[in-house]
Amino acid sequence: MADKKKQKTRPDASESASLSRKEYDKELALLHVELVKLQQWVVATGAKVCVVFEGRDGAGKGGTIKALTERVSPRIFRVVALPAPTDREKSQMYMQRYLPQLPAAGEVVIFDRSWYNRAGVERVMGFCTQAQVDAFLKAIPLVERVMVDSGILLFKYWLEVSEAEQTRRLQARIEDERKTWKLTKMDLDSYSRWYDYSRARDDMFKASDTAIAPWFVGRSDNKKRVRLNIISHLLEHIPYTAGPREKIKLPKRQKAKGYQEPDHPYRYVPEKF
């Protein structure tokens, strides 16, 4: 595994002061270097990594995924956020539309919500029957065992946000025109069902928090800390090593050999800033 110095033990997020932007950027930059090393290792070894993010609306899944992927290749780190199922997909075996998204050799696939929709939003919002939920919870440990036995490194993260912080974040989406696209009618309906979601989460953990595919909970009231903590945790639990780094030197440019810039009336973008 790469240098252990990147791993730090932090105080309980609920008891710690806010992390400054400067400190956050410094720590994230170090983790980004390690993620690039992980990427190179995944490609070189043909590893298959699958990362699942779940949590209530406003828990910070999107921001955490962005922090995780912003300095690596989208061809290697692939984010999957499936839309609502089509009529055809509704008629299929439930896991069928998720299976093609699982990683092949040399890939890291990140699910922004996953097959656990059945245990969460589908259950709470009445999009499936209780019998379907029960069947899913009974089957999913077996499915995930098959995934792990096939060589997939599976990581499941639940982002836990408090009632007060969720309210603050959703209210911010209402008031900030840059964030209104994040707020849907379903988000509003879901907001009123806090304890239905709590019961669904509890049942999901009871059924699927297994030794072979455990859930890891990140307390997400502090966005900066949870991003650093989850990325650090992921790196710590993958046995990657840093490959040799070749020395890179820019080659000399070719000579102009008579080339001249054309007298073309370029339509330049107005420089307002």
Side-chain angles (χ1 to χ4, degrees):
M1 187 180 297
D3 189 356
K4 287 282 189 177
K5 289 184 178 179
K6 67 180 183 297
Q7 306 301 337
K8 295 184 178 181
T9 300
R10 296 204 176 275
D12 187 323
S14 64
E15 299 175 358
S16 59
S18 179
L19 196 66
S20 72
R21 186 75 202 189
K22 183 177 180 180
E23 185 178 3
Y24 169 73
D25 288 342
K26 178 182 177 181
E27 295 291 343
L28 186 59
L30 294 174
L31 292 174
H32 282 160
V33 171
E34 296 302 322
L35 286 168
V36 171
K37 294 177 184 177
L38 170 63
Q39 175 178 270
Q40 294 170 331
W41 176 82
V42 165
V43 172
T45 63
K48 298 178 289 185
V49 181
C50 181
V51 187
V52 168
F53 283 98
E54 293 287 347
R56 304 174 194 267
D57 295 319
K61 297 181 294 298
T64 302
I65 292 171
K66 181 179 179 181
L68 176 60
T69 59
E70 63 184 346
R71 295 295 182 177
V72 291
S73 170
R75 293 187 295 274
I76 309 302
F77 280 70
R78 179 164 53 88
V79 178
V80 176
L82 296 182
T86 64
D87 289 340
R88 181 176 184 275
E89 289 171 332
K90 289 177 183 178
S91 72
Q92 296 174 340
M93 178 183 70
Y94 178 72
M95 281 295 296
Q96 192 167 339
R97 77 179 187 131
Y98 293 100
L99 295 177
Q101 304 296 335
L102 295 178
E107 291 182 343
V108 179
V109 173
I110 300 168
F111 282 90
D112 185 354
R113 294 196 184 276
S114 66
W115 46 90
Y116 283 101
N117 276 338
R118 173 128 299 179
V121 64
E122 291 187 16
R123 167 183 169 168
V124 173
M125 301 305 295
F127 297 150
C128 63
T129 66
Q130 185 60 47
Q132 289 174 317
V133 174
D134 293 341
F136 169 80
L137 293 177
K138 181 178 179 180
I140 199 59
L142 303 176
V143 174
E144 291 179 347
R145 174 173 286 278
V146 172
M147 291 167 59
V148 173
D149 287 348
S150 76
I152 292 175
L153 301 175
L154 177 60
F155 298 90
K156 303 186 301 190
Y157 291 104
W158 173 271
L159 272 62
E160 184 66 23
V161 65
S162 67
E163 290 184 75
E165 181 62 15
Q166 186 197 42
T167 297
R168 190 193 69 77
R169 291 177 186 177
L170 295 184
Q171 189 64 43
R173 294 181 185 181
I174 295 173
E175 298 170 356
D176 190 337
E177 292 186 2
R178 298 169 300 173
K179 299 178 180 180
T180 53
W181 65 272
K182 292 184 175 183
L183 194 64
T184 66
K185 184 179 183 301
M186 187 175 297
D187 293 333
L188 297 175
D189 291 342
S190 299
Y191 174 78
S192 66
R193 307 187 187 197
W194 177 272
Y195 292 106
D196 286 343
Y197 270 99
S198 294
R199 294 183 184 94
R201 176 204 57 197
D202 296 347
D203 289 345
M204 181 185 78
F205 276 26
K206 183 177 180 180
S208 61
D209 186 15
T210 62
I212 198 170
W215 279 101
F216 297 102
V217 179
R219 286 174 286 200
S220 65
D221 277 14
N222 188 309
K223 291 181 179 181
K224 296 188 188 78
R225 290 196 184 279
V226 77
R227 293 168 190 171
L228 298 178
N229 288 333
I230 285 180
I231 296 172
S232 177
H233 181 274
L234 180 66
L235 290 167
E236 190 176 54
H237 286 78
I238 298 179
Y240 73 99
T241 54
R245 182 180 179 184
E246 297 181 4
K247 188 175 181 179
I248 300 174
K249 183 179 180 181
L250 291 175
K252 293 182 179 180
R253 292 191 190 274
Q254 63 182 166
K255 295 182 178 180
K257 296 182 180 180
Y259 174 81
Q260 293 181 345
E261 291 290 341
D263 184 19
H264 183 83
Y266 293 112
R267 295 175 177 84
Y268 288 103
V269 175
E271 297 181 349
K272 296 181 179 180
F273 304 97

